[in-house]
Amino acid sequence: MRREAVVDSPEEWPVTSSRTAFHGKVWDILTEEVVMPDGVVAARDFQRHPGAVGVLALDEQRRVLLVRQYRHPVRHRLWELPAGLLDVPGENPLHAAQRELYEEAHAKAGDWRVLIDFYSSPGGSSEALRIFLAQDLAEADGERFQAEHEELDLEVDRVDLDELVRLVLAGELHNGALVASVMAAKVALDSDVYGDAGLLGLRPADSPWPARPFE
């Protein structure tokens, strides 16, 4: 028996009702009544999220630029990639990623490619993330961004990619976007998944993103 291609495909089951159970500053919680394949109608609660972008910024020494900040829901200070919300409808994700790299690390990059796209927790959230691989790093022009709230206490460092892989596998790093991106970057750099193309095999930075369409 021939199986279908291993590719995620869009699909939408009938919804008989939808209401906003909670309206927040950044995201909402929706309750929807969904018709299951057997005809049973079941309630599903989920987070309606605007989406986000992140940047795996890699320097010439194969070090990844990281930021460390407090995350209250998990009561941890986590090492993460520079990242931010897509809270401007229709915003180009590349522009958002470039802004986050500047604001959180006062850095810029000359080469941008799409590393990975993924849903952070599709069983309970519509959050979609696009992670860019940024290279040819340099200090950003102009004054530093004036941070506030959690970002006032932000730490910035650069860590060797192979060391990050080791720390991920040792259970020392826990941010989902960081974990997925570090492993993907390691494969893209050191395997023959793209053959002779190397990192040139990664998608261009302006590649379509059906989960969060942009102009």
Side-chain angles (χ1 to χ4, degrees), residues 10-214:
E11 185 173 339
E12 187 170 354
W13 293 356
V15 174
T16 61
S17 68
S18 178
R19 67 181 180 87
T20 301
F22 169 79
H23 180 72
K25 180 180 179 181
V26 177
W27 51 69
D28 302 332
I29 301 297
L30 269 62
T31 297
E32 294 191 337
E33 301 285 336
V34 184
V35 181
M36 301 289 122
D38 59 4
V40 174
V41 177
R44 291 291 180 265
D45 300 326
F46 65 95
Q47 177 194 56
R48 180 168 58 191
H49 194 286
V53 292
V55 184
L56 192 145
L58 191 70
D59 68 17
E60 294 178 353
Q61 299 170 346
R62 282 178 53 120
R63 297 178 303 172
V64 178
L65 191 157
L66 300 180
V67 297
R68 186 173 182 247
Q69 61 180 317
Y70 176 67
R71 292 303 191 183
H72 186 70
V74 295
R75 270 64 170 182
H76 270 69
R77 190 184 294 270
L78 300 178
W79 286 104
E80 304 178 347
L81 303 177
L85 295 169
L86 288 170
D87 46 10
V88 178
E91 181 178 18
N92 187 306
L94 174 60
H95 298 166
Q98 291 169 333
R99 181 185 66 240
E100 294 301 329
L101 185 61
Y102 157 69
E103 291 182 357
E104 296 191 357
H106 195 65
K108 63 181 181 179
D111 185 82
W112 291 81
R113 303 179 189 280
V114 176
L115 181 61
I116 52 173
D117 297 330
F118 65 101
Y119 294 111
S120 62
S121 183
S125 174
S126 67
E127 182 182 21
L129 292 99
R130 167 161 282 189
I131 307 297
F132 292 91
L133 177 70
Q135 298 182 98
D136 187 18
L137 302 184
E139 184 175 351
D141 303 322
E143 297 182 357
R144 290 185 174 273
F145 177 74
Q146 295 301 308
E148 59 182 6
H149 306 313
E150 293 96 335
E151 293 182 351
L152 283 170
D153 199 31
L154 204 70
E155 299 176 49
V156 181
D157 203 350
R158 298 190 184 195
V159 181
D160 180 77
L161 177 63
D162 289 336
E163 174 65 3
L164 289 176
V165 171
R166 187 191 69 78
L167 291 169
V168 166
L169 296 177
E172 300 292 343
L173 298 173
H174 305 92
N175 177 270
L178 174 64
V179 170
S181 301
V182 161
M183 304 308 280
K186 173 67 174 176
V187 170
L189 281 164
D190 293 343
S191 77
D192 61 355
V193 65
Y194 293 122
D196 293 337
L199 292 180
L200 295 177
L202 291 172
R203 288 170 290 161
D206 59 354
S207 295
W209 189 17
R212 293 293 183 272
F214 60 94

